[in-house]
Amino acid sequence: AGAGIDELTQALGWLPHTVRAALTGLRRKGYSITRAKTEGQASVYRIIVASSEKKPTRASAKHAA
């Protein structure tokens, strides 16, 4: 269902800018992250993995850089 920045900061004990930086880091490692926002509500972030896509691994992320 996804999670908002507020939910992630509470769950992880991180500051909002740290959560956003972590999401950016995941994007750079090849994860697709969507952001949905409905009127009057906070943004919800979801990690999307297509069934035909190979999930990035630590080893492949190191070689891609």
Side-chain angles (χ1 to χ4, degrees):
I5 295 291
D6 290 340
E7 293 170 294
L8 292 169
T9 57
Q10 289 177 358
L12 298 170
W14 296 354
L15 294 172
H17 68 275
T18 306
V19 171
R20 286 189 292 274
L23 292 172
T24 299
L26 288 172
R27 283 186 185 109
R28 289 181 181 164
K29 288 185 178 189
Y31 289 90
S32 295
I33 299 177
T34 64
R35 181 180 137 208
K37 185 172 183 176
T38 56
E39 198 170 316
Q41 294 182 354
S43 296
V44 175
Y45 297 87
R46 294 179 184 91
I47 297 175
I48 306 297
V49 179
S51 59
S52 63
E53 288 182 31
K54 183 180 175 183
K55 293 180 184 177
T57 62
R58 288 182 181 254
S60 65
K62 287 181 183 177
H63 296 297

